[in-house]
Amino acid sequence: MNFKSYFFIIIITFMSTLTFAQEKQPFAIGETVSIYSDELNEERTLNIYLPQSYNEAADKKYPVIYLLDGSADEDFIHIAGLVQFGSFSWINMIPETIVVGISNIDRKHDFTYPTKNIKDKEDFPTTGGSKKFIDFIAKELQPFITKNYMVTEERTIIGQSLGGLLASEIFLKKPDLFDHYIIVSPSLWWDDESLLNIQATPYSTKKSIYIGVGKEGKVMETVAKQLHEKLKTTVPPSTQLEFNYFEQLDHGDTLHLAAYDAFKKLFSSKTE
């Protein structure tokens, strides 16, 4: 190979590489915003998935899923993916929906109420902040989303493990904050299962509740089933109540399949 041929190959290779580099673009599934919370006295990060049609339909409004453990390295990406998949026209399992993932700072603080159990206090030294976190959701987060995004009044919360504990507490104490509750592997053993003993706050609007748990040991499985049994005898007949036991899954991988199952059971009838 002579010098001219070699030089020509080098130039073509360089130009191809340059063209390829120029064509690279970031791949995004949503946006990240920060809001300052007076209730929590700190800045909070939100990861927000917007449906594909969001910027195309000027007058369309969307229901919202609020996702606990919504950091990018937690549950946000795979739940947003399930929502996108489920809303495809050829799947038609869930309406096009906005997902608001609430990034964590200290979930052991935010998702737990005060406990009398000594071991709880030892294992969770920062415990006891759920009331303020619920106030943050009600007084700051939901109004922020309503003001800044095209949303309907339909709201869903998804919580797993300690997030499931918080979602259960919200339903039992302030049920009208959400219309749909997806509670997976809830840590209802907290404070010697005291949440299972409180009287649920009455509500008048229609609700749906999904409870899922995997093969996660006697305590986790029992408290999830107890929550289901409690709600069966206390919620109004108009409330849709679903339960599923995923015996092939454990605490680490139940959420994904449970969320899919919940979407199918709670929302598929609305898309028909």
Side-chain angles (χ1 to χ4, degrees):
M1 181 184 297
N2 60 37
F3 177 78
K4 288 185 178 180
S5 299
Y6 180 77
F7 182 74
F8 179 74
I9 292 173
I10 293 296
I11 293 296
I12 293 298
T13 302
F14 174 76
M15 293 301 294
S16 299
T17 304
L18 182 61
T19 300
F20 176 74
Q22 289 174 337
E23 290 175 351
K24 284 186 178 181
Q25 294 180 1
F27 180 79
I29 64 169
E31 57 193 37
T32 298
V33 299
S34 294
I35 63 172
Y36 184 82
S37 168
D38 290 321
E39 295 291 334
L40 303 174
N41 193 30
E42 62 191 10
E43 195 88 9
R44 298 305 298 240
T45 299
L46 309 174
N47 296 309
I48 301 177
Y49 163 77
L50 300 173
Q52 186 174 356
S53 67
Y54 184 83
N55 293 314
E56 300 169 359
D59 298 327
K60 186 174 181 179
K61 294 186 176 183
Y62 301 82
V64 183
I65 290 174
Y66 290 84
L67 174 65
L68 303 172
D69 294 316
S71 300
D73 59 352
E74 293 176 311
D75 299 329
F76 176 72
I77 293 175
H78 75 92
I79 293 297
L82 279 178
V83 171
Q84 182 201 41
F85 173 78
S87 64
F88 285 148
S89 60
W90 57 91
I91 302 298
N92 206 32
M93 181 174 66
I94 183 173
E96 286 192 303
T97 301
I98 294 171
V99 179
V100 177
I102 310 169
S103 294
N104 281 322
I105 292 178
D106 182 358
R107 67 195 298 273
K108 292 181 179 180
H109 173 265
D110 291 337
F111 296 171
T112 60
Y113 52 89
T115 177
K116 298 181 179 67
N117 185 289
I118 295 175
K119 191 172 188 311
D120 289 349
K121 293 178 181 179
E122 292 175 350
D123 294 341
F124 296 74
T126 62
T127 186
S130 66
K131 183 182 184 305
K132 282 185 174 294
F133 195 76
I134 294 170
D135 286 343
F136 158 68
I137 292 173
K139 299 176 182 180
E140 297 175 326
L141 177 57
Q142 289 182 339
F144 174 84
I145 296 299
T146 299
K147 179 181 178 181
N148 291 283
Y149 295 89
M150 299 184 295
V151 300
T152 68
E153 295 182 353
E154 186 175 355
R155 297 164 174 167
T156 300
I157 187 169
I158 299 177
Q160 184 259 354
S161 194
L162 286 179
L165 174 69
L166 182 73
S168 300
E169 182 181 1
I170 293 173
F171 176 75
L172 293 170
K173 295 180 179 180
K174 295 191 174 184
D176 287 328
L177 280 183
F178 296 96
D179 304 288
H180 314 290
Y181 289 80
I182 299 175
I183 301 170
V184 182
S185 307
S187 298
L188 291 163
W189 47 264
W190 180 255
D191 189 35
D192 299 317
E193 304 174 15
S194 63
L195 196 62
L196 290 168
N197 299 320
I198 72 167
Q199 184 173 355
T201 301
Y203 56 89
S204 55
T205 57
K206 190 173 181 179
K207 307 289 180 191
S208 65
I209 308 156
Y210 179 97
I211 303 166
V213 67
K215 193 171 184 61
E216 306 177 40
K218 183 178 179 181
V219 173
M220 290 293 292
E221 295 168 32
T222 298
V223 293
K225 292 172 183 176
Q226 286 177 337
L227 177 63
H228 179 236
E229 291 300 317
K230 173 186 176 70
L231 297 182
K232 275 203 305 187
T233 61
T234 56
V235 299
S238 61
T239 298
Q240 181 182 357
L241 180 61
E242 304 282 352
F243 178 85
N244 202 345
Y245 174 52
F246 299 88
E247 61 180 347
Q248 77 278 28
L249 304 177
D250 60 26
H251 190 70
D253 58 2
T254 299
L255 176 62
H256 193 90
L257 189 56
Y260 182 91
D261 189 49
F263 291 165
K264 184 168 60 174
K265 289 177 177 174
L266 302 187
F267 301 121
S268 60
S269 62
K270 298 179 181 181
T271 62
E272 295 174 356

